[in-house]
Amino acid sequence: MIEDTQPPSIALSAHNLHVRRGRGKDAFSLGVDYLDLHAGEVLVILGPNGAGKSTLLRALAGLERSVAKDLIRGGDGPVTLVFQRPAALSGSAEMNVRAALLGKGIPEEVKRQRVTRALDRFDIQALASHDARTLSGGELRRLALARAFVLEPEVLLLDEPFDDLDAEGQRILSLDLQQAIEDTNVAVAMVTHDLRRALLLADRIAVLAPGRLAQHGLRDEVLLRPNTRDIARTVGMTNLASGRVCRQAGGVSWIQIEPGFEVPTTAALNPEQEAWIGIRPEHLKLDVGRGDGESIGKAVVESLISDGLATVATLRVHDRRFTTHLLSGRGLARRLRPGDPVSLAVRPDQVHALPA
């Protein structure tokens, strides 16, 4: 059997999109050279507050007056935006979902099937007869998603879909949403401030800086090769430092961060070149002789914080701080204490580096 290796089709494409609003000190602008949404994939939009994440969703939905409609192509089927604060109409949950189909010219039997399927998809069939205005925050979010999916959209735009949900509510909703996307092949663009949840769903990532789209691409490309330090911080590459190439051998450049603390990278750098390095916390290892990479130097444990599943260890190297993740309740996470000395290691191919 020959696998289908064709790339996913583009459901919506934005080119040379510019949003302008306000004047003077209140002026806001956002420029996007190009951005594609692919069928069956999730694009997660990240960025600092005020960068324009929600504005970008509104522009893609055709709700920004300053954006010419011909700059957004595709979306031959419905393009549906689910707002950050979903509201409910007076009446039952089922009526709220059914209301989305009013005026669509859909036969009654088809309407009934689609409403039932949408309620089942987000596990709120038991709430069908409940007054929608009495639903909890999590139930209201599920209702909003059911109301969006009943339209069978080609493109779905989600603004903070996990806002105000507890950890378990986020976990269950993300699984249901993931299944719904797989079943329907809808193209999704999602804004969220929850990086962990975003990374579980994302196929692609777009990072906004104030006023512009700073980087976008496949999930791992952006996570592992951010273009700037600010983007690195946004995508969770928290171990950042500057130094100078002190030696090179076998395709590996060693960057001295502090005396006795040298970090290897396979990035293309020149001898004596100044550079900044970035290491994701999950890639920085405590060196216990298991061959987890090249030894890079000593550190002191400053703090250990656990959420029950993972322990975030903050490590001090001279005046710099680095973090690594350990499994809570096991091995080193159980034995380590603040003040303990440790050795660190990292694989050169897991160290991102760019000229300073």
Side-chain angles (χ1 to χ4, degrees):
M1 179 178 178
I2 299 175
E3 292 187 9
D4 184 3
T5 58
Q6 289 185 339
S9 61
I10 295 175
L12 193 72
S13 181
H15 288 259
N16 298 318
L17 184 153
H18 294 276
V19 182
R20 296 179 180 85
R21 193 186 307 130
R23 294 182 177 180
K25 66 178 183 179
D26 296 324
F28 171 83
S29 67
L30 173 65
V32 175
D33 291 338
Y34 75 94
L35 186 66
D36 296 332
L37 303 186
H38 296 255
E41 292 189 352
V42 177
L43 172 76
V44 170
I45 302 170
L46 303 172
N49 291 336
K53 300 185 294 295
S54 297
T55 298
L56 177 55
L57 288 190
R58 288 177 54 85
L60 295 175
L63 300 179
E64 286 291 334
R65 293 182 180 179
S66 66
V67 176
K69 297 295 187 288
D70 61 353
L71 299 179
I72 301 173
R73 299 182 178 88
D76 297 327
V79 177
T80 303
L81 171 60
V82 178
F83 292 97
Q84 183 176 2
R85 301 293 179 207
L89 302 172
S90 175
S92 68
E94 181 177 359
M95 187 280 293
N96 268 257
V97 176
R98 178 177 286 270
L101 299 176
L102 290 175
K104 303 295 183 183
I106 299 173
E108 183 58 34
E109 178 60 21
V110 176
K111 279 186 185 179
R112 186 188 66 77
Q113 293 173 358
R114 285 169 64 165
V115 169
T116 298
R117 185 163 58 244
L119 291 169
D120 283 342
R121 194 183 296 282
F122 291 98
D123 199 25
I124 52 173
Q125 182 63 48
L127 304 173
S129 61
H130 290 215
D131 186 337
R133 294 170 301 176
T134 67
L135 299 182
S136 69
E139 292 166 346
L140 197 58
R141 291 196 176 279
R142 289 178 169 276
L143 177 63
L145 287 169
R147 198 161 52 204
F149 272 91
V150 80
L151 290 166
E152 297 184 353
E154 182 180 12
V155 176
L156 179 63
L157 310 172
L158 302 176
D159 196 353
E160 300 286 4
F162 306 109
D163 207 21
D164 298 332
L165 296 179
D166 60 25
E168 181 62 9
Q170 289 184 20
R171 186 187 71 82
I172 296 174
L173 182 57
S174 65
L175 290 175
D176 288 344
L177 182 58
Q178 191 173 38
Q179 187 63 55
I181 294 166
E182 183 178 326
D183 290 345
T184 62
N185 205 40
V186 64
V188 178
M190 178 175 69
V191 166
T192 179
H193 64 270
D194 186 331
L195 182 60
R196 180 185 295 183
R197 194 61 49 194
L199 299 187
L200 290 175
L201 290 170
D203 296 291
R204 298 172 184 267
I205 294 175
V207 183
L208 297 187
R212 65 188 179 89
L213 176 60
Q215 184 175 356
H216 77 284
L218 293 172
R219 172 187 181 274
D220 287 350
E221 288 177 1
V222 179
L223 290 181
L224 302 178
R225 299 291 182 264
N227 288 341
T228 67
R229 290 195 197 203
D230 286 340
I231 295 174
R233 293 186 187 96
T234 298
V235 300
M237 185 177 278
T238 54
N239 296 315
L240 300 170
S242 298
R244 183 186 296 273
V245 176
C246 61
R247 55 191 170 100
Q248 293 179 307
V252 174
S253 297
W254 290 79
I255 301 172
Q256 185 180 69
I257 307 300
E258 299 278 0
F261 195 84
E262 299 174 359
V263 177
T265 179
T266 55
L269 297 171
N270 297 321
E272 300 298 319
Q273 187 169 29
E274 292 187 355
W276 66 268
I277 62 102
I279 308 171
R280 297 193 63 81
E282 60 268 29
H283 293 159
L284 184 63
K285 305 296 184 181
L286 300 186
D287 189 359
V288 291
R290 290 191 303 223
D292 286 329
E294 300 284 350
S295 179
I296 61 176
K298 305 289 186 181
V300 175
V301 177
E302 188 169 86
S303 66
L304 297 156
I305 300 175
S306 172
D307 64 3
L309 296 176
T311 295
V312 177
T314 301
L315 312 166
R316 192 175 69 253
V317 179
H318 298 281
D319 293 330
R320 303 175 188 268
R321 287 177 173 81
F322 294 83
T323 58
T324 186
H325 295 168
L326 308 170
L327 285 175
S328 294
R330 297 180 59 188
L332 289 171
R334 186 170 53 189
R335 299 195 304 269
L336 282 177
R337 296 292 182 269
D340 286 351
V342 292
S343 297
L344 303 181
V346 71
R347 283 172 41 186
D349 62 328
Q350 292 180 337
V351 176
H352 180 47
L354 287 175

CSV table of all heavy atoms in Angstrom, one decimal, residues 146-177:
chain,number,residue,atom,x,y,z
A,146,ALA,N,-20.2,23.1,20.2
A,146,ALA,CA,-21.3,22.3,19.5
A,146,ALA,C,-22.0,23.2,18.5
A,146,ALA,O,-22.3,22.8,17.4
A,146,ALA,CB,-22.3,21.8,20.5
A,147,ARG,N,-22.2,24.5,18.9
A,147,ARG,CA,-22.9,25.4,18.0
A,147,ARG,C,-22.1,25.7,16.8
A,147,ARG,O,-22.6,26.0,15.7
A,147,ARG,CB,-23.2,26.7,18.8
A,147,ARG,CG,-24.3,27.6,18.2
A,147,ARG,CD,-24.8,28.6,19.2
A,147,ARG,NE,-23.7,29.3,19.9
A,147,ARG,CZ,-23.9,29.8,21.1
A,147,ARG,NH1,-25.0,29.7,21.8
A,147,ARG,NH2,-22.9,30.5,21.7
A,148,ALA,N,-20.7,25.7,17.0
A,148,ALA,CA,-19.8,26.0,15.8
A,148,ALA,C,-19.8,24.8,14.9
A,148,ALA,O,-19.9,24.9,13.7
A,148,ALA,CB,-18.4,26.3,16.4
A,149,PHE,N,-19.7,23.6,15.5
A,149,PHE,CA,-19.5,22.4,14.7
A,149,PHE,C,-20.8,22.0,14.0
A,149,PHE,O,-20.8,21.3,12.9
A,149,PHE,CB,-19.0,21.2,15.5
A,149,PHE,CG,-17.5,21.2,15.6
A,149,PHE,CD1,-16.8,21.8,16.6
A,149,PHE,CD2,-16.7,20.5,14.6
A,149,PHE,CE1,-15.4,21.8,16.6
A,149,PHE,CE2,-15.3,20.4,14.6
A,149,PHE,CZ,-14.7,21.1,15.6
A,150,VAL,N,-22.0,22.4,14.5
A,150,VAL,CA,-23.2,22.0,13.8
A,150,VAL,C,-23.3,22.7,12.4
A,150,VAL,O,-24.0,22.2,11.6
A,150,VAL,CB,-24.4,22.4,14.7
A,150,VAL,CG1,-24.7,23.9,14.6
A,150,VAL,CG2,-25.7,21.6,14.3
A,151,LEU,N,-22.5,23.8,12.2
A,151,LEU,CA,-22.5,24.5,11.0
A,151,LEU,C,-21.6,23.7,10.0
A,151,LEU,O,-21.5,24.1,8.8
A,151,LEU,CB,-21.9,25.9,11.1
A,151,LEU,CG,-22.9,26.8,11.9
A,151,LEU,CD1,-22.1,28.1,12.3
A,151,LEU,CD2,-24.1,27.2,11.0
A,152,GLU,N,-20.9,22.7,10.4
A,152,GLU,CA,-19.9,21.9,9.6
A,152,GLU,C,-19.0,22.9,8.9
A,152,GLU,O,-18.9,22.9,7.7
A,152,GLU,CB,-20.7,21.1,8.6
A,152,GLU,CG,-21.5,20.0,9.3
A,152,GLU,CD,-22.2,19.1,8.3
A,152,GLU,OE1,-22.2,19.3,7.1
A,152,GLU,OE2,-22.8,18.1,8.8
A,153,PRO,N,-18.2,23.7,9.7
A,153,PRO,CA,-17.4,24.7,9.1
A,153,PRO,C,-16.2,24.1,8.4
A,153,PRO,O,-15.7,23.1,8.7
A,153,PRO,CB,-16.9,25.5,10.3
A,153,PRO,CG,-17.0,24.6,11.4
A,153,PRO,CD,-18.1,23.7,11.2
A,154,GLU,N,-15.7,24.9,7.4
A,154,GLU,CA,-14.4,24.5,6.7
A,154,GLU,C,-13.3,25.1,7.6
A,154,GLU,O,-12.2,24.5,7.6
A,154,GLU,CB,-14.4,25.1,5.3
A,154,GLU,CG,-13.1,24.7,4.6
A,154,GLU,CD,-13.1,25.3,3.2
A,154,GLU,OE1,-14.0,26.2,2.9
A,154,GLU,OE2,-12.3,24.9,2.4
A,155,VAL,N,-13.5,26.2,8.2
A,155,VAL,CA,-12.5,26.9,9.0
A,155,VAL,C,-13.1,27.2,10.4
A,155,VAL,O,-14.2,27.8,10.4
A,155,VAL,CB,-12.0,28.1,8.3
A,155,VAL,CG1,-11.0,28.9,9.3
A,155,VAL,CG2,-11.3,27.8,7.0
A,156,LEU,N,-12.4,26.9,11.4
A,156,LEU,CA,-12.9,27.2,12.8
A,156,LEU,C,-11.8,28.0,13.5
A,156,LEU,O,-10.7,27.6,13.6
A,156,LEU,CB,-13.1,25.9,13.6
A,156,LEU,CG,-13.6,26.0,15.0
A,156,LEU,CD1,-14.9,26.6,15.1
A,156,LEU,CD2,-13.6,24.6,15.7
A,157,LEU,N,-12.2,29.2,14.0
A,157,LEU,CA,-11.4,30.1,14.7
A,157,LEU,C,-11.7,30.1,16.2
A,157,LEU,O,-12.9,30.4,16.5
A,157,LEU,CB,-11.5,31.5,14.1
A,157,LEU,CG,-11.4,31.5,12.6
A,157,LEU,CD1,-11.7,32.9,12.0
A,157,LEU,CD2,-10.0,31.1,12.1
A,158,LEU,N,-10.8,29.8,17.1
A,158,LEU,CA,-11.1,29.7,18.5
A,158,LEU,C,-10.2,30.7,19.3
A,158,LEU,O,-9.0,30.6,19.2
A,158,LEU,CB,-10.7,28.2,19.0
A,158,LEU,CG,-11.5,27.1,18.2
A,158,LEU,CD1,-10.9,25.8,18.8
A,158,LEU,CD2,-13.0,27.2,18.5
A,159,ASP,N,-10.9,31.5,20.1
A,159,ASP,CA,-10.2,32.5,20.9
A,159,ASP,C,-10.3,32.0,22.4
A,159,ASP,O,-11.3,32.0,23.0
A,159,ASP,CB,-10.9,33.8,20.8
A,159,ASP,CG,-10.1,35.0,21.3
A,159,ASP,OD1,-9.0,34.7,21.9
A,159,ASP,OD2,-10.5,36.1,21.2
A,160,GLU,N,-9.1,31.5,22.9
A,160,GLU,CA,-9.0,31.1,24.3
A,160,GLU,C,-10.0,30.0,24.6
A,160,GLU,O,-10.8,30.2,25.6
A,160,GLU,CB,-9.0,32.2,25.2
A,160,GLU,CG,-7.9,33.3,25.0
A,160,GLU,CD,-6.6,32.8,25.5
A,160,GLU,OE1,-6.4,31.6,25.9
A,160,GLU,OE2,-5.6,33.6,25.4
A,161,PRO,N,-10.1,28.9,23.9
A,161,PRO,CA,-11.2,27.9,24.2
A,161,PRO,C,-11.1,27.2,25.5
A,161,PRO,O,-12.0,26.6,26.0
A,161,PRO,CB,-11.0,26.9,23.0
A,161,PRO,CG,-9.5,27.0,22.7
A,161,PRO,CD,-9.2,28.4,22.8
A,162,PHE,N,-9.9,27.3,26.2
A,162,PHE,CA,-9.8,26.6,27.5
A,162,PHE,C,-9.8,27.6,28.7
A,162,PHE,O,-9.5,27.3,29.8
A,162,PHE,CB,-8.5,25.8,27.5
A,162,PHE,CG,-8.4,24.9,26.4
A,162,PHE,CD1,-7.5,25.1,25.4
A,162,PHE,CD2,-9.2,23.8,26.3
A,162,PHE,CE1,-7.4,24.2,24.3
A,162,PHE,CE2,-9.1,22.9,25.2
A,162,PHE,CZ,-8.2,23.1,24.2
A,163,ASP,N,-10.1,28.9,28.4
A,163,ASP,CA,-10.1,29.9,29.5
A,163,ASP,C,-11.0,29.5,30.6
A,163,ASP,O,-12.1,29.1,30.4
A,163,ASP,CB,-10.5,31.3,28.8
A,163,ASP,CG,-9.8,32.4,29.6
A,163,ASP,OD1,-8.8,32.2,30.3
A,163,ASP,OD2,-10.4,33.5,29.5
A,164,ASP,N,-10.5,29.8,31.8
A,164,ASP,CA,-11.3,29.6,33.0
A,164,ASP,C,-11.7,28.1,33.4
A,164,ASP,O,-12.5,27.9,34.3
A,164,ASP,CB,-12.7,30.4,33.0
A,164,ASP,CG,-12.4,31.9,32.9
A,164,ASP,OD1,-11.4,32.3,33.3
A,164,ASP,OD2,-13.3,32.6,32.3
A,165,LEU,N,-11.1,27.2,32.6
A,165,LEU,CA,-11.4,25.8,32.9
A,165,LEU,C,-10.3,25.2,33.9
A,165,LEU,O,-9.1,25.6,33.8
A,165,LEU,CB,-11.4,24.9,31.7
A,165,LEU,CG,-12.5,25.2,30.7
A,165,LEU,CD1,-12.4,24.3,29.5
A,165,LEU,CD2,-13.9,25.1,31.3
A,166,ASP,N,-10.6,24.3,34.8
A,166,ASP,CA,-9.6,23.7,35.6
A,166,ASP,C,-8.8,22.7,34.8
A,166,ASP,O,-9.1,22.4,33.6
A,166,ASP,CB,-10.2,23.0,36.8
A,166,ASP,CG,-11.2,21.9,36.5
A,166,ASP,OD1,-11.1,21.3,35.4
A,166,ASP,OD2,-12.1,21.7,37.4
A,167,ALA,N,-7.8,22.1,35.3
A,167,ALA,CA,-6.9,21.3,34.6
A,167,ALA,C,-7.6,20.1,34.0
A,167,ALA,O,-7.3,19.7,32.8
A,167,ALA,CB,-5.7,20.8,35.5
A,168,GLU,N,-8.5,19.4,34.7
A,168,GLU,CA,-9.2,18.3,34.2
A,168,GLU,C,-10.1,18.7,33.1
A,168,GLU,O,-10.3,18.0,32.1
A,168,GLU,CB,-9.9,17.6,35.4
A,168,GLU,CG,-10.6,16.3,35.0
A,168,GLU,CD,-9.7,15.2,34.4
A,168,GLU,OE1,-8.5,15.3,34.5
A,168,GLU,OE2,-10.3,14.2,33.9
A,169,GLY,N,-10.8,19.8,33.3
A,169,GLY,CA,-11.7,20.3,32.3
A,169,GLY,C,-11.0,20.6,31.0
A,169,GLY,O,-11.5,20.3,29.9
A,170,GLN,N,-9.8,21.2,31.1
A,170,GLN,CA,-9.0,21.4,29.9
A,170,GLN,C,-8.6,20.1,29.2
A,170,GLN,O,-8.6,20.0,28.0
A,170,GLN,CB,-7.7,22.2,30.3
A,170,GLN,CG,-8.0,23.7,30.7
A,170,GLN,CD,-6.7,24.4,31.0
A,170,GLN,OE1,-5.6,24.0,30.5
A,170,GLN,NE2,-6.8,25.5,31.7
A,171,ARG,N,-8.2,19.2,30.0
A,171,ARG,CA,-7.7,17.9,29.4
A,171,ARG,C,-8.8,17.2,28.6
A,171,ARG,O,-8.6,16.8,27.5
A,171,ARG,CB,-7.2,17.0,30.5
A,171,ARG,CG,-6.6,15.7,30.0
A,171,ARG,CD,-6.3,14.7,31.2
A,171,ARG,NE,-7.5,14.2,31.8
A,171,ARG,CZ,-8.1,13.1,31.3
A,171,ARG,NH1,-7.7,12.5,30.2
A,171,ARG,NH2,-9.2,12.7,31.9
A,172,ILE,N,-10.0,17.1,29.2
A,172,ILE,CA,-11.1,16.4,28.6
A,172,ILE,C,-11.6,17.2,27.4
A,172,ILE,O,-11.8,16.6,26.3
A,172,ILE,CB,-12.3,16.2,29.6
A,172,ILE,CG1,-11.8,15.3,30.7
A,172,ILE,CG2,-13.5,15.6,28.9
A,172,ILE,CD1,-12.9,15.2,31.8
A,173,LEU,N,-11.7,18.5,27.5
A,173,LEU,CA,-12.2,19.3,26.3
A,173,LEU,C,-11.2,19.2,25.2
A,173,LEU,O,-11.5,19.1,24.0
A,173,LEU,CB,-12.4,20.7,26.7
A,173,LEU,CG,-12.9,21.7,25.6
A,173,LEU,CD1,-14.2,21.1,25.1
A,173,LEU,CD2,-13.1,23.1,26.1
A,174,SER,N,-9.9,19.2,25.5
A,174,SER,CA,-8.9,19.2,24.4
A,174,SER,C,-8.9,17.8,23.7
A,174,SER,O,-8.8,17.8,22.5
A,174,SER,CB,-7.5,19.4,25.0
A,174,SER,OG,-7.1,18.4,25.9
A,175,LEU,N,-9.2,16.7,24.4
A,175,LEU,CA,-9.4,15.4,23.8
A,175,LEU,C,-10.6,15.4,22.9
A,175,LEU,O,-10.5,14.9,21.7
A,175,LEU,CB,-9.5,14.3,24.8
A,175,LEU,CG,-8.2,14.0,25.6
A,175,LEU,CD1,-8.5,13.0,26.7
A,175,LEU,CD2,-7.1,13.5,24.7
A,176,ASP,N,-11.7,16.0,23.4
A,176,ASP,CA,-12.9,16.0,22.5
A,176,ASP,C,-12.7,16.9,21.3
A,176,ASP,O,-13.2,16.6,20.2
A,176,ASP,CB,-14.1,16.5,23.4
A,176,ASP,CG,-14.6,15.5,24.4
A,176,ASP,OD1,-14.2,14.4,24.3
A,176,ASP,OD2,-15.3,16.0,25.3
A,177,LEU,N,-12.0,18.0,21.5
A,177,LEU,CA,-11.8,18.9,20.4
A,177,LEU,C,-10.9,18.3,19.3
A,177,LEU,O,-11.1,18.3,18.1
A,177,LEU,CB,-11.2,20.2,20.9
A,177,LEU,CG,-10.9,21.3,19.9
A,177,LEU,CD1,-12.1,21.7,19.1
A,177,LEU,CD2,-10.3,22.5,20.6
